[in-house]
Amino acid sequence: MAAAANGGDSKGFEVPKLEIKFTKLFINGRFVDAVSGKTFETRDPRTGEVIAKIAEGDKADIDLAVKAAREAFDHGPWPRMSGFARGRILHKFADLVEQHVEELAALDTVDAGKLFAMGKLVDVPGGANLLRYYAGAADKVHGETLKMSRPCHGYTLKEPVGVVGHIVPWNYPTTMFFFKASPALAAGCTMVVKPAEQTPLSALFYAHLAKLAGIPDGVLNVVPGFGPTAGAAISSHMDIDKVSFTGSTEVGRLVMEAAAKSNLKPVSLELGGKSPVIVFDDADLDTAVNLVHMASYTNKGEICVAGSRIYVQEGIYDAFVKKATEMAKKSVVGDPFNPQVHQGPQIDKEQYEKILKYIDIGKREGATLVTGGKPCGDNGYYIEPTIFTDVKEEMSIAQEEIFGPVMALMKFKTVEEAIQKANSTRYGLAAGIVTKNIDIANTVSRSIRAGAIWINCYLGFDPDAPFGGYKMSGFGKDMGMDALEKYLHTKAVVTPLYNTPWL
């Protein structure tokens, strides 16, 4: 089994003192109670204990937030100021995020079970980096001069789409907040953000920082609540101009259906994944094992691009299994504030039980459990890093997104077989290739139907690299200039030319 650290025991390391400062809805620049007066509990997955009671937004609160966002878009300064001016405010926002790294990382650790060290090093600074990237892009939004076929002058304008509804998942609360808010703000949009009900704390803190940075009231509204109420109200709202959703494929269908049935608002969807990692015989074994371990177990497997289908060429398969098993057994599972811990708790009891159910299904369907597969720790939602071998393509653990620390290992012979197996899924979010052969890397990367291909690396995210899926992993891109484009309309403007010396 994995080396286990007690999930609730803070002995031997320091847990920062954390005050929960923001628990109300943020609408039109103010923290307010829900119209209904209702609250819901957000819990610490390390122990299952209640952290705080959060105002529970529903349709009435979404209506108020949309009204504020609409007023800010139709009559406020944000879409009318220069891109340069918006960029300066976004840089100030990024400065404030960086000044509160420890506190923000701690919020995501107690709310989502994320490693505190990773929050400080990656998630929160990464959010600030995204703000800076789009701050730099805000004054570079421009159209084109058109070469018309008749005596007319034509050009295009890029205009913000309007009021955007952002529905954010629970696995990366900070990262996903800035994936969505940063380009939309740079484009000049106003917005309503619904953080996941499991992880509302950091989003409310970011709303506070946005106001301090000088983002005008009504531009950025944050309404915690539940999917069937607050999320559904965003998707079906007649005065929201676009919806950006990250989450499950099943809920993505509902969002798209509601958008179509209301005002035909465009949607962008980043949905589920079942990403393959293909390891060829010529790969350095230690490098491959390390990459696959990272791909499968980063963020306790609660990541849409988790490398959960691992295809290893037959020449090194047995050696790979042995080393991968040894590495998984050494992984330390425990309190995510502990700097010695590699893997924290799953997000909540529901997800914890879902993962254990899939592990049981894997065993019943005939896969071989090599290591892990059991709960660990005295309390909280901890699961050992798990490896299955003898996995067949038709098995549930090879086809369905588990969203947990479960690796399914499979063997292949030829490049063609690897490509066929990698594509034998309804998803197409990401894939990894480990090889020293550039020809194999080129062939396979062009053959896999997925939106991100990482060669001899994994989790190759960057603000300039567009990220999004193929097939049932959704459509629309986060990051890069592609993300900015999805929050812009293109308008063609044409005027006649008279007595012009040239067209």
Side-chain angles (χ1 to χ4, degrees):
M1 62 173 279
N6 187 328
D9 183 8
S10 61
K11 186 177 180 181
F13 60 94
E14 184 179 350
V15 175
K17 292 180 181 178
L18 188 61
E19 177 190 355
I20 307 302
K21 298 175 180 174
F22 307 107
T23 60
K24 296 184 178 184
L25 316 180
F26 187 79
I27 297 175
N28 204 22
R30 296 171 48 238
F31 284 101
V32 296
D33 291 318
V35 171
S36 68
K38 289 186 189 176
T39 61
F40 66 94
E41 296 173 340
T42 185
R43 292 180 177 270
D44 185 342
R46 299 177 303 154
T47 61
E49 295 174 359
V50 175
I51 308 165
K53 291 187 176 180
I54 308 297
E56 182 183 333
D58 58 21
K59 184 180 184 302
D61 304 288
I62 295 295
D63 286 343
L64 290 174
V66 173
K67 182 179 179 182
R70 175 55 61 194
E71 177 68 18
F73 185 79
D74 288 349
H75 304 292
W78 189 250
R80 289 162 189 82
M81 68 173 65
S82 69
F84 177 78
R86 283 199 300 272
R88 291 189 66 170
I89 293 173
L90 293 183
H91 276 300
K92 178 73 180 299
F93 191 1
D95 290 341
L96 291 167
V97 170
E98 289 172 342
Q99 290 168 22
H100 293 82
V101 166
E102 292 257 342
E103 188 171 4
L104 289 160
L107 287 175
D108 281 351
T109 297
V110 297
D111 222 9
K114 299 175 69 65
L115 295 181
F116 184 48
M118 290 297 288
K120 291 190 293 181
L121 286 171
V122 179
D123 290 27
V124 179
N129 289 343
L130 280 166
L131 280 171
R132 295 198 191 284
Y133 177 89
Y134 288 107
D139 61 354
K140 298 167 186 67
V141 175
H142 53 78
E144 297 176 307
T145 301
L146 307 176
K147 192 66 175 175
M148 307 292 283
S149 62
R150 55 201 181 92
C152 294
H153 173 57
Y155 60 94
T156 60
L157 296 172
K158 295 286 189 178
E159 300 180 345
V161 297
V163 177
V164 181
H166 296 299
I167 303 176
V168 179
W170 46 257
N171 60 327
Y172 277 84
T174 287
T175 303
M176 294 297 166
F177 182 95
F178 288 109
F179 266 22
K180 298 184 183 303
S182 303
L185 287 168
C189 296
T190 62
M191 63 207 65
V192 178
V193 181
K194 192 202 86 65
E197 60 269 22
Q198 296 90 339
T199 54
L201 296 178
S202 59
L204 292 169
F205 203 113
Y206 291 126
H208 164 68
L209 296 182
K211 184 175 176 70
L212 293 182
I215 292 177
D217 292 350
V219 171
L220 175 63
N221 305 274
V222 177
V223 182
F226 292 85
T229 50
I234 287 173
S235 303
S236 61
H237 206 288
M238 294 296 291
D239 215 16
I240 287 180
D241 300 303
K242 180 181 175 63
V243 172
S244 174
F245 169 81
T246 297
S248 71
T249 299
E250 292 72 25
V251 177
R253 287 181 188 273
L254 298 176
V255 170
M256 194 170 178
E257 180 182 10
K261 286 183 174 179
S262 52
N263 59 344
L264 277 174
K265 64 179 74 66
V267 300
S268 56
L269 305 174
E270 195 262 277
L271 307 176
K274 196 69 180 171
S275 300
V277 182
I278 306 170
V279 181
F280 289 90
D281 280 344
D282 68 338
D284 177 81
L285 187 59
D286 289 333
T287 299
V289 169
N290 280 312
L291 279 176
V292 166
H293 185 91
M294 177 180 70
S296 297
Y297 301 130
T298 288
N299 202 48
K300 55 276 189 2
E302 292 175 347
I303 179 169
C304 53
V305 295
S308 50
R309 294 185 297 140
I310 312 302
Y311 297 100
V312 183
Q313 202 161 14
E314 58 184 4
I316 61 168
Y317 178 84
D318 292 338
F320 184 97
V321 172
K322 183 174 183 292
K323 278 187 174 284
T325 302
E326 290 170 355
M327 191 169 192
K329 287 180 176 179
K330 291 177 183 175
S331 189
V332 180
V333 181
D335 191 310
F337 281 110
N338 185 342
Q340 305 304 315
V341 161
H342 304 121
Q343 180 184 308
Q346 311 307 138
I347 183 70
D348 59 15
K349 184 178 180 182
E350 181 182 351
Q351 183 64 18
Y352 168 82
E353 292 176 345
K354 175 188 170 185
I355 296 163
L356 292 174
K357 179 182 175 183
Y358 269 112
I359 291 170
D360 185 58
I361 290 171
K363 291 187 285 188
R364 285 193 279 111
E365 289 187 344
T368 300
L369 180 64
V370 177
T371 188
K374 299 188 295 296
C376 72
D378 296 337
N379 54 13
Y381 308 123
Y382 298 87
I383 297 175
E384 296 173 347
T386 300
I387 297 178
F388 280 104
T389 58
D390 302 313
V391 179
K392 303 290 186 288
E393 296 296 326
E394 65 275 8
M395 289 182 179
S396 297
I397 59 171
Q399 288 296 320
E400 298 174 21
E401 186 175 42
I402 299 172
F403 230 59
V406 180
M407 182 191 300
L409 277 168
M410 291 165 274
K411 190 187 300 185
F412 72 92
K413 291 184 179 181
T414 67
V415 172
E416 293 73 23
E417 181 188 1
I419 293 168
Q420 185 274 321
K421 287 177 178 291
N423 284 329
S424 64
T425 173
R426 63 183 180 273
Y427 297 116
L429 198 52
I433 302 166
V434 190
T435 179
K436 295 175 182 174
N437 187 317
I438 188 65
D439 295 327
I440 289 176
N442 284 334
T443 297
V444 177
S445 62
R446 285 162 170 74
S447 300
I448 294 176
R449 299 275 297 156
I453 308 294
W454 295 314
I455 300 171
N456 296 325
C457 63
Y458 207 78
L459 306 178
F461 293 110
D462 187 87
D464 201 42
F467 173 71
Y470 285 20
K471 300 190 284 189
M472 289 179 68
S473 289
F475 48 84
K477 299 294 184 183
D478 290 318
M479 295 195 293
M481 295 303 285
D482 293 57
L484 188 63
E485 284 289 330
K486 76 182 183 184
Y487 297 110
L488 296 167
H489 280 314
T490 300
K491 176 183 286 183
V493 181
V494 177
T495 183
L497 291 173
Y498 302 102
N499 304 317
T500 180
W502 54 75
L503 296 181

